[in-house]
Amino acid sequence: MSISALDLNLLVVLDAVLTERSVARAARRLHVTPSAISNALARLRIALGDPLFTRSGRGIVPTPRAVALAPVLTRALRDLEHAVHGAAFDPATTTREFSLAIADAGQMVRLPRIATLLAAEMPRARLRVIGIDTFLTGGGLASTEVDVAIAVGEKAPGLHLEPLYRERTVLVARHNHPQAGDRVSKSALASLRHVEVQVAPGKGYRALPGAYARLGIARDIALVVPNFSAAAAVVAGTNLVATLPVSLVSRLGPRLGLRSVQSPVPPLTLTINLCWHERTHADPAMVFFRDLIRRAGAAPRTRRTSAAT
């Protein structure tokens, strides 16, 4: 017999009778009448082709088939109860895997602190970190692949954005760039070609076009990349320029041979958000994990270097 043809409520009745060894006590446990228990057992006997219980004196005794079903029923109903109502979340014992999308090297410096807190407070849990480019093309937070993202973020239905920290941006070019010295004029700035960073599918950092438009300059975008680290690498090997977070330039600039360029466009403030979807908003484990990320610290400290003046 296929289980799809079986009324699963009958198994709840069988479990109660097996536990109580009495129709009357099982009826009180399930808040039904003894006749309802007897009717349920009669239907189950027909479905399973077994008497399930026999009378012995004033009580009942389970058949070998019923005895064999008892531990399986108890375990299955307990697991189903936990699945329906949700088992209590215990950080100390959870073995859950948490997935975190991080945009760039500027956010990667937070990982040691996150890992330290995770080991101390959720020692049996596991953290999986993915790049923001995978996050953008893989369905993002609406999928089951990513739980939380640390990114610029864009408002969207079902998406929660919480400012995690803010940092300033700087225009950068490679050392010995033929057109971009330590300072560029408005006309020189208009002649430069840019690397655009895609902070959401099809969208760049939206404050930049407005800042250039106010000066009457339309940025000439030569290349679009998925993150700030990729933009820094491209700038280091070409005559393109890019607007990047100061914290990232201070870390990668000396190694890549980048330097900051003063321009008529004032520094902009970049907001890095903690992002999550409505599907995980109320989940106790995710609430705890998001709080752990918050406690991992605010904006990463930047070193004072000539690359980020």
PDB file of all heavy atoms in Angstrom, residues 30 40 49 64 73 83 120 125 151 157 165 173 181 205 217 228 250 272-273 279 293 295 297:
ATOM      1  N   LEU A  30      -5.257  12.445  23.352  1.00  0.00           N
ATOM      2  CA  LEU A  30      -5.531  13.111  22.085  1.00  0.00           C
ATOM      3  C   LEU A  30      -6.795  13.976  22.119  1.00  0.00           C
ATOM      4  O   LEU A  30      -7.149  14.585  21.101  1.00  0.00           O
ATOM      5  CB  LEU A  30      -5.658  12.071  20.962  1.00  0.00           C
ATOM      6  CG  LEU A  30      -4.402  11.229  20.693  1.00  0.00           C
ATOM      7  CD1 LEU A  30      -4.677  10.219  19.590  1.00  0.00           C
ATOM      8  CD2 LEU A  30      -3.222  12.116  20.308  1.00  0.00           C
ATOM      9  N   ALA A  40     -10.527   4.550  14.551  1.00  0.00           N
ATOM     10  CA  ALA A  40      -9.254   4.795  13.866  1.00  0.00           C
ATOM     11  C   ALA A  40      -8.436   3.510  13.787  1.00  0.00           C
ATOM     12  O   ALA A  40      -7.837   3.193  12.754  1.00  0.00           O
ATOM     13  CB  ALA A  40      -8.475   5.889  14.594  1.00  0.00           C
ATOM     14  N   GLY A  49      -3.391  -4.562   7.264  1.00  0.00           N
ATOM     15  CA  GLY A  49      -3.582  -6.011   7.207  1.00  0.00           C
ATOM     16  C   GLY A  49      -3.065  -6.716   8.446  1.00  0.00           C
ATOM     17  O   GLY A  49      -2.529  -7.839   8.351  1.00  0.00           O
ATOM     18  N   PRO A  64       3.338  -8.318  17.101  1.00  0.00           N
ATOM     19  CA  PRO A  64       4.730  -8.074  16.684  1.00  0.00           C
ATOM     20  C   PRO A  64       4.845  -6.950  15.653  1.00  0.00           C
ATOM     21  O   PRO A  64       5.801  -6.179  15.665  1.00  0.00           O
ATOM     22  CB  PRO A  64       5.155  -9.428  16.109  1.00  0.00           C
ATOM     23  CG  PRO A  64       4.323 -10.414  16.864  1.00  0.00           C
ATOM     24  CD  PRO A  64       2.984  -9.754  17.051  1.00  0.00           C
ATOM     25  N   LEU A  73       7.587   4.992  14.527  1.00  0.00           N
ATOM     26  CA  LEU A  73       6.556   6.012  14.648  1.00  0.00           C
ATOM     27  C   LEU A  73       6.983   7.133  15.584  1.00  0.00           C
ATOM     28  O   LEU A  73       6.828   8.316  15.290  1.00  0.00           O
ATOM     29  CB  LEU A  73       5.259   5.389  15.161  1.00  0.00           C
ATOM     30  CG  LEU A  73       4.331   4.731  14.138  1.00  0.00           C
ATOM     31  CD1 LEU A  73       3.126   4.146  14.858  1.00  0.00           C
ATOM     32  CD2 LEU A  73       3.889   5.743  13.089  1.00  0.00           C
ATOM     33  N   ALA A  83      10.096  19.702  12.703  1.00  0.00           N
ATOM     34  CA  ALA A  83      10.109  20.361  11.391  1.00  0.00           C
ATOM     35  C   ALA A  83       8.977  21.365  11.264  1.00  0.00           C
ATOM     36  O   ALA A  83       9.143  22.447  10.699  1.00  0.00           O
ATOM     37  CB  ALA A  83      10.009  19.315  10.286  1.00  0.00           C
ATOM     38  N   ALA A 120      33.769  30.892  18.728  1.00  0.00           N
ATOM     39  CA  ALA A 120      33.506  31.016  20.162  1.00  0.00           C
ATOM     40  C   ALA A 120      32.041  30.775  20.512  1.00  0.00           C
ATOM     41  O   ALA A 120      31.732  30.171  21.536  1.00  0.00           O
ATOM     42  CB  ALA A 120      33.928  32.403  20.646  1.00  0.00           C
ATOM     43  N   ALA A 125      29.171  25.183  14.024  1.00  0.00           N
ATOM     44  CA  ALA A 125      28.618  25.714  12.779  1.00  0.00           C
ATOM     45  C   ALA A 125      29.714  25.883  11.744  1.00  0.00           C
ATOM     46  O   ALA A 125      30.903  25.804  12.043  1.00  0.00           O
ATOM     47  CB  ALA A 125      27.933  27.049  13.038  1.00  0.00           C
ATOM     48  N   ALA A 151      27.436  44.390   1.346  1.00  0.00           N
ATOM     49  CA  ALA A 151      27.580  44.996   0.024  1.00  0.00           C
ATOM     50  C   ALA A 151      26.923  46.363   0.011  1.00  0.00           C
ATOM     51  O   ALA A 151      26.244  46.757   0.973  1.00  0.00           O
ATOM     52  CB  ALA A 151      26.941  44.095  -1.036  1.00  0.00           C
ATOM     53  N   PRO A 157      12.088  44.501  -3.608  1.00  0.00           N
ATOM     54  CA  PRO A 157      11.027  43.860  -2.832  1.00  0.00           C
ATOM     55  C   PRO A 157      11.558  42.684  -2.018  1.00  0.00           C
ATOM     56  O   PRO A 157      12.280  41.833  -2.542  1.00  0.00           O
ATOM     57  CB  PRO A 157      10.033  43.391  -3.908  1.00  0.00           C
ATOM     58  CG  PRO A 157      10.276  44.298  -5.061  1.00  0.00           C
ATOM     59  CD  PRO A 157      11.741  44.596  -5.044  1.00  0.00           C
ATOM     60  N   TYR A 165      28.457  50.169   7.815  1.00  0.00           N
ATOM     61  CA  TYR A 165      29.430  51.242   8.008  1.00  0.00           C
ATOM     62  C   TYR A 165      29.504  52.072   6.742  1.00  0.00           C
ATOM     63  O   TYR A 165      28.969  51.705   5.697  1.00  0.00           O
ATOM     64  CB  TYR A 165      30.807  50.700   8.405  1.00  0.00           C
ATOM     65  CG  TYR A 165      31.498  49.845   7.369  1.00  0.00           C
ATOM     66  CD1 TYR A 165      32.327  50.406   6.400  1.00  0.00           C
ATOM     67  CD2 TYR A 165      31.354  48.454   7.386  1.00  0.00           C
ATOM     68  CE1 TYR A 165      32.969  49.618   5.463  1.00  0.00           C
ATOM     69  CE2 TYR A 165      31.998  47.662   6.443  1.00  0.00           C
ATOM     70  CZ  TYR A 165      32.805  48.261   5.485  1.00  0.00           C
ATOM     71  OH  TYR A 165      33.438  47.475   4.556  1.00  0.00           O
ATOM     72  N   ALA A 173      44.426  56.137 -10.070  1.00  0.00           N
ATOM     73  CA  ALA A 173      45.059  55.815 -11.344  1.00  0.00           C
ATOM     74  C   ALA A 173      46.361  55.098 -11.041  1.00  0.00           C
ATOM     75  O   ALA A 173      46.833  55.096  -9.896  1.00  0.00           O
ATOM     76  CB  ALA A 173      45.319  57.090 -12.153  1.00  0.00           C
ATOM     77  N   GLY A 181      47.836  63.086 -13.142  1.00  0.00           N
ATOM     78  CA  GLY A 181      48.853  63.307 -12.133  1.00  0.00           C
ATOM     79  C   GLY A 181      48.229  63.262 -10.752  1.00  0.00           C
ATOM     80  O   GLY A 181      47.167  62.664 -10.551  1.00  0.00           O
ATOM     81  N   TYR A 205      27.479  52.340  -9.183  1.00  0.00           N
ATOM     82  CA  TYR A 205      27.319  53.143  -7.971  1.00  0.00           C
ATOM     83  C   TYR A 205      26.617  54.434  -8.371  1.00  0.00           C
ATOM     84  O   TYR A 205      27.185  55.309  -9.009  1.00  0.00           O
ATOM     85  CB  TYR A 205      28.688  53.400  -7.333  1.00  0.00           C
ATOM     86  CG  TYR A 205      28.626  54.222  -6.069  1.00  0.00           C
ATOM     87  CD1 TYR A 205      27.635  53.985  -5.122  1.00  0.00           C
ATOM     88  CD2 TYR A 205      29.536  55.234  -5.833  1.00  0.00           C
ATOM     89  CE1 TYR A 205      27.558  54.733  -3.969  1.00  0.00           C
ATOM     90  CE2 TYR A 205      29.473  55.990  -4.680  1.00  0.00           C
ATOM     91  CZ  TYR A 205      28.487  55.739  -3.753  1.00  0.00           C
ATOM     92  OH  TYR A 205      28.409  56.490  -2.613  1.00  0.00           O
ATOM     93  N   ILE A 217      30.099  66.874 -16.880  1.00  0.00           N
ATOM     94  CA  ILE A 217      30.959  65.826 -17.435  1.00  0.00           C
ATOM     95  C   ILE A 217      30.167  64.518 -17.501  1.00  0.00           C
ATOM     96  O   ILE A 217      29.525  64.119 -16.531  1.00  0.00           O
ATOM     97  CB  ILE A 217      32.219  65.614 -16.566  1.00  0.00           C
ATOM     98  CG1 ILE A 217      33.053  66.901 -16.505  1.00  0.00           C
ATOM     99  CG2 ILE A 217      33.058  64.457 -17.096  1.00  0.00           C
ATOM    100  CD1 ILE A 217      34.223  66.809 -15.539  1.00  0.00           C
ATOM    101  N   PHE A 228      34.993  45.990  -6.626  1.00  0.00           N
ATOM    102  CA  PHE A 228      36.024  47.020  -6.522  1.00  0.00           C
ATOM    103  C   PHE A 228      37.433  46.452  -6.662  1.00  0.00           C
ATOM    104  O   PHE A 228      38.327  47.107  -7.197  1.00  0.00           O
ATOM    105  CB  PHE A 228      35.892  47.768  -5.192  1.00  0.00           C
ATOM    106  CG  PHE A 228      34.642  48.607  -5.100  1.00  0.00           C
ATOM    107  CD1 PHE A 228      33.670  48.309  -4.159  1.00  0.00           C
ATOM    108  CD2 PHE A 228      34.449  49.686  -5.943  1.00  0.00           C
ATOM    109  CE1 PHE A 228      32.516  49.081  -4.067  1.00  0.00           C
ATOM    110  CE2 PHE A 228      33.304  50.462  -5.863  1.00  0.00           C
ATOM    111  CZ  PHE A 228      32.326  50.164  -4.928  1.00  0.00           C
ATOM    112  N   SER A 250      43.891  51.723   0.324  1.00  0.00           N
ATOM    113  CA  SER A 250      44.979  51.738   1.308  1.00  0.00           C
ATOM    114  C   SER A 250      45.615  50.364   1.459  1.00  0.00           C
ATOM    115  O   SER A 250      46.799  50.246   1.790  1.00  0.00           O
ATOM    116  CB  SER A 250      44.463  52.226   2.669  1.00  0.00           C
ATOM    117  OG  SER A 250      43.630  51.263   3.269  1.00  0.00           O
ATOM    118  N   ILE A 272      28.076  50.810   3.111  1.00  0.00           N
ATOM    119  CA  ILE A 272      28.143  49.348   3.028  1.00  0.00           C
ATOM    120  C   ILE A 272      27.044  48.792   3.924  1.00  0.00           C
ATOM    121  O   ILE A 272      26.980  49.100   5.115  1.00  0.00           O
ATOM    122  CB  ILE A 272      29.518  48.818   3.463  1.00  0.00           C
ATOM    123  CG1 ILE A 272      30.628  49.493   2.653  1.00  0.00           C
ATOM    124  CG2 ILE A 272      29.572  47.309   3.319  1.00  0.00           C
ATOM    125  CD1 ILE A 272      30.553  49.263   1.162  1.00  0.00           C
ATOM    126  N   ASN A 273      26.172  47.995   3.333  1.00  0.00           N
ATOM    127  CA  ASN A 273      24.994  47.494   4.046  1.00  0.00           C
ATOM    128  C   ASN A 273      25.114  46.030   4.434  1.00  0.00           C
ATOM    129  O   ASN A 273      25.808  45.249   3.764  1.00  0.00           O
ATOM    130  CB  ASN A 273      23.755  47.648   3.161  1.00  0.00           C
ATOM    131  CG  ASN A 273      23.373  49.091   2.947  1.00  0.00           C
ATOM    132  OD1 ASN A 273      23.079  49.813   3.886  1.00  0.00           O
ATOM    133  ND2 ASN A 273      23.377  49.522   1.689  1.00  0.00           N
ATOM    134  N   ARG A 279      12.850  36.085   3.539  1.00  0.00           N
ATOM    135  CA  ARG A 279      12.700  34.643   3.810  1.00  0.00           C
ATOM    136  C   ARG A 279      13.485  34.204   5.032  1.00  0.00           C
ATOM    137  O   ARG A 279      13.138  33.201   5.667  1.00  0.00           O
ATOM    138  CB  ARG A 279      13.131  33.825   2.586  1.00  0.00           C
ATOM    139  CG  ARG A 279      14.608  33.823   2.304  1.00  0.00           C
ATOM    140  CD  ARG A 279      15.014  32.950   1.130  1.00  0.00           C
ATOM    141  NE  ARG A 279      16.457  32.967   0.966  1.00  0.00           N
ATOM    142  CZ  ARG A 279      17.295  32.193   1.638  1.00  0.00           C
ATOM    143  NH1 ARG A 279      16.822  31.314   2.512  1.00  0.00           N
ATOM    144  NH2 ARG A 279      18.598  32.286   1.452  1.00  0.00           N
ATOM    145  N   ILE A 293      27.617  39.293  12.939  1.00  0.00           N
ATOM    146  CA  ILE A 293      28.318  40.114  11.947  1.00  0.00           C
ATOM    147  C   ILE A 293      28.392  41.563  12.411  1.00  0.00           C
ATOM    148  O   ILE A 293      29.432  42.221  12.287  1.00  0.00           O
ATOM    149  CB  ILE A 293      27.631  40.020  10.575  1.00  0.00           C
ATOM    150  CG1 ILE A 293      27.756  38.595  10.026  1.00  0.00           C
ATOM    151  CG2 ILE A 293      28.221  41.022   9.590  1.00  0.00           C
ATOM    152  CD1 ILE A 293      26.986  38.365   8.750  1.00  0.00           C
ATOM    153  N   ARG A 295      28.459  42.604  15.446  1.00  0.00           N
ATOM    154  CA  ARG A 295      29.420  42.683  16.558  1.00  0.00           C
ATOM    155  C   ARG A 295      30.865  42.460  16.112  1.00  0.00           C
ATOM    156  O   ARG A 295      31.791  42.682  16.879  1.00  0.00           O
ATOM    157  CB  ARG A 295      29.045  41.664  17.635  1.00  0.00           C
ATOM    158  CG  ARG A 295      27.785  42.037  18.385  1.00  0.00           C
ATOM    159  CD  ARG A 295      27.471  41.087  19.527  1.00  0.00           C
ATOM    160  NE  ARG A 295      26.919  39.825  19.083  1.00  0.00           N
ATOM    161  CZ  ARG A 295      27.529  38.651  19.189  1.00  0.00           C
ATOM    162  NH1 ARG A 295      28.758  38.573  19.705  1.00  0.00           N
ATOM    163  NH2 ARG A 295      26.949  37.545  18.779  1.00  0.00           N
ATOM    164  N   GLY A 297      32.425  44.200  14.234  1.00  0.00           N
ATOM    165  CA  GLY A 297      33.107  45.490  14.159  1.00  0.00           C
ATOM    166  C   GLY A 297      32.502  46.394  13.119  1.00  0.00           C
ATOM    167  O   GLY A 297      31.763  45.972  12.240  1.00  0.00           O
TER     168      GLY A 297
END
